[in-house]
Amino acid sequence: MFARRVPNLVRLLILGLALILASGALAGCKPKPPPNRLIAFLLASDQSSRWMDSDEPAFQKRVNQTCKGCSYLTLNASGDPDLQSEQFDQALSQGADVIVLNAVDSERAEDLIVAAGKVPVIAYDRFVAGADYYVSYDAQVTGELQAEAVLADAGGAAPSVLLIDGGRLDANTRSIKDARAATFGKKVQVLAELEPATWSAEEAAAWIKTQLGKHRPTTVDAIVAANDTQAGAVVDVLTSMGVKPRQFPYITGQDASLEAVRRIVRGEQAMTVYKPIITEANQAADLAVALVTSTAVTDSTDFEGVASFIFTPQSVTVNNLADTVVRDRLYSLEQICDAATMPACERLGLR
């Protein structure tokens, strides 16, 4: 009787082993990164609050959620291209398997990509020729939105404008500048234009103070600041000169920073260009994780020879902030309506 049961036991053992092997094969169909795969996120600057307050936390959160076997490194170059080169080398020496690069200097960053060899590089927010991928918002649309807002709301048949460009090392600056100029055409009177080295508030403040010494604020219809850091500097200079917000020129910006949204509510800044950071950071993180897990990347488009994911920004004014930054939960009304902004919030019916 015992002899007859042995074949049954053998068959059961074989069946069990087959199931174990099959389950292992199925598990192998789901890509998993080898232990300690390193994703490096290199940021260009701390001049704008968005990078460390919004982009980096969102990117890191997404990586942590989607890549359990990954290690993470982030470094900030504080606007110094030499420091960023050192940090890039540091990421490589620590064994980075993919580098997400928010370039200080787009041209110099091309050399970094060459130095990376087989390590893929994702250009983040700022285009770098030769990158493996590029994730950003459409810089051309940003320039168009700023110019269109001035033409629509700054008043006058040919509004007089002061132009503050973005940092000249940033590849996006040229796209914004060209799109803005094409939209303006001959419809505005350009009083002067600043082509700063960086996006810093200090450069913008020093220049605008000089210009407002030549052109009285009441004779300037618009000050086209390329981003919110510069716009904040403009507002500070006007305020220090004793100019009341109702007498401010039409002031533009970009990034929809919390302080910029507050300035819009208070009537100090007219508009900003909103680029939902979560969307951008999540896309870059998903792309980085796909590269370290050998997952196929699809749905990219071509931008100057680089596989890209480019999103469309939005204009934000006092008339639509509830339907943009508040609706998207970028900021709550409690955050926007701080003590300095509360009277304006109440006047507008936001609180």
Side-chain angles (χ1 to χ4, degrees):
M1 185 173 180
F2 176 80
R4 285 196 300 270
R5 295 176 64 179
V6 170
N8 291 333
L9 288 172
V10 172
R11 281 195 295 271
L12 287 172
L13 288 171
I14 292 172
L15 179 60
L17 180 60
L19 289 172
I20 290 170
L21 292 173
S23 64
L26 288 172
C29 294
K30 192 172 185 178
K32 289 184 179 179
N36 299 319
R37 282 297 194 187
L38 178 59
I39 294 175
F41 189 26
L42 305 188
L43 291 164
S45 170
D46 52 10
Q47 290 173 341
S48 172
S49 61
R50 66 164 283 192
W51 304 116
M52 296 306 296
D53 292 349
S54 300
D55 293 78
E56 195 280 328
F59 182 90
Q60 183 177 15
K61 180 179 179 181
R62 187 72 160 197
V63 168
N64 290 341
Q65 288 173 337
T66 59
C67 199
K68 301 304 181 185
C70 289
S71 299
Y72 175 71
L73 169 69
T74 185
L75 299 166
N76 193 308
S78 300
D80 184 341
D82 292 328
L83 177 57
Q84 184 162 73
S85 294
E86 294 174 9
Q87 292 174 340
F88 196 91
D89 290 341
Q90 178 183 340
L92 290 175
S93 67
Q94 290 185 219
D97 295 283
V98 60
I99 297 177
V100 181
L101 178 64
N102 174 227
V104 175
D105 183 331
S106 296
E107 288 189 7
R108 286 184 60 176
E110 294 177 29
D111 294 333
L112 300 182
I113 289 170
V114 173
K118 294 182 179 180
V119 176
V121 178
I122 301 168
Y124 183 81
D125 199 76
R126 299 174 177 179
F127 180 75
V128 181
D132 294 274
Y133 292 93
Y134 173 48
V135 179
S136 189
Y137 277 87
D138 193 322
Q140 180 175 325
V141 174
T142 295
E144 291 170 352
L145 290 174
Q146 291 174 342
E148 288 167 358
V150 170
L151 292 175
D153 298 320
S160 58
V161 300
L162 291 169
L163 305 178
I164 303 176
D165 298 334
R168 57 176 172 263
L169 300 179
D170 185 340
N172 289 345
T173 291
R174 174 56 60 183
S175 295
I176 294 171
K177 179 183 172 75
D178 290 349
R180 187 183 62 199
T183 304
F184 277 149
K186 297 181 179 179
K187 300 172 187 174
V188 301
Q189 177 190 0
V190 177
L191 301 174
E193 182 172 2
L194 172 66
E195 297 180 339
T198 71
W199 297 80
S200 75
E202 291 75 17
E203 278 190 272
W207 184 80
I208 204 67
K209 187 173 182 179
T210 299
Q211 293 304 316
L212 293 178
K214 299 176 182 178
H215 311 280
R216 288 183 293 110
T218 53
T219 67
V220 178
D221 293 308
I223 299 175
V224 183
N227 79 347
D228 291 334
T229 299
Q230 297 168 331
V234 170
V235 168
D236 289 344
V237 169
L238 287 164
T239 301
S240 71
M241 294 174 66
V243 182
K244 302 299 182 185
R246 65 177 179 274
Q247 299 172 311
F248 281 9
Y250 189 96
I251 301 172
T252 72
Q254 176 191 183
D255 289 334
S257 70
L258 178 56
E259 284 305 317
V261 173
R262 287 171 175 164
R263 289 193 294 266
I264 288 172
V265 172
R266 295 196 297 264
E268 298 167 349
Q269 181 172 330
M271 66 84 70
T272 186
V273 177
Y274 171 42
K275 306 181 296 185
I277 289 168
I278 295 294
T279 301
E280 184 177 14
N282 283 353
Q283 179 63 69
D286 289 348
L287 188 51
V289 172
L291 292 172
V292 300
T293 57
S294 300
T295 303
V297 176
T298 60
D299 300 327
S300 65
T301 58
D302 179 82
F303 181 81
E304 297 188 14
V306 176
S308 302
F309 295 85
I310 300 176
F311 306 101
T312 302
Q314 301 169 261
S315 177
V316 173
T317 68
V318 71
N319 296 320
N320 72 343
L321 66 88
D323 295 324
T324 51
V325 295
V326 175
R327 180 199 62 196
D328 291 354
R329 299 182 181 179
L330 180 63
Y331 311 118
S332 66
L333 288 175
E334 287 75 16
Q335 289 175 292
I336 294 170
C337 299
D338 64 354
T341 314
M342 183 61 74
C345 285
E346 291 175 344
R347 187 168 61 253
L348 294 169
L350 297 175
R351 300 295 291 163

